Amino acid sequence: MKQTGKLDYLEMPAVHGKLDSVKAFYSAAFGWSFTDYGPTYSAFGEGLDGGFQADVSEAAAKPLPILYSQALEETLQAVTGAGGTIVKPIFSFPGGRRFHFLDPAGNELAVWGE
């Protein structure tokens, strides 16, 4: 069961046309399988759900931990109230809505809800 504030998803970059090679690597090394959502995104469900994003710049290429929230607006208020910095306000994507924030150490995370 999904719970507010728990790690739910991990997006990782696959820049400069490396999506196919990244998928081949994880398939060969660990037996992972993938579901493609267009030419630039491929999802996996291997213990922790996640996906590889191919349309990111090399400068922005770092993993993105994604937390879940049952009440996205309330969680956004909790994040800002605790000192987090919103870097992408709530936006819609296929499957739900989410926002991105920086924690006090400068790590970027996202929170999503249905």
Side-chain angles (χ1 to χ4, degrees):
M1 182 172 136
K2 295 182 181 301
Q3 295 180 2
T4 297
K6 302 300 181 189
L7 189 58
D8 186 63
Y9 201 84
L10 179 65
E11 284 187 350
M12 297 189 293
V15 298
H16 298 301
K18 297 191 181 204
L19 184 58
D20 288 338
S21 62
V22 167
K23 288 168 42 180
F25 169 80
Y26 283 97
S27 290
F30 303 108
W32 288 16
S33 58
F34 296 89
T35 301
D36 292 333
Y37 293 97
T40 63
Y41 198 88
S42 190
F44 57 83
E46 304 296 336
L48 174 66
D49 290 344
F52 287 98
Q53 179 75 37
D55 61 349
V56 295
S57 71
E58 197 146 336
K62 55 189 167 208
L64 179 67
I66 302 174
L67 309 174
Y68 177 77
S69 174
Q70 293 177 351
L72 201 58
E73 287 79 5
E74 290 176 22
T75 301
L76 186 142
Q77 292 302 318
V79 166
T80 57
T85 303
I86 305 303
V87 293
K88 290 185 183 177
I90 295 174
F91 64 93
S92 296
F93 69 94
R97 301 179 312 135
R98 76 184 196 192
F99 68 89
H100 293 209
F101 69 95
L102 298 178
D103 69 12
N107 298 302
E108 185 173 346
L109 289 86
V111 180
W112 86 280
E114 295 159 305

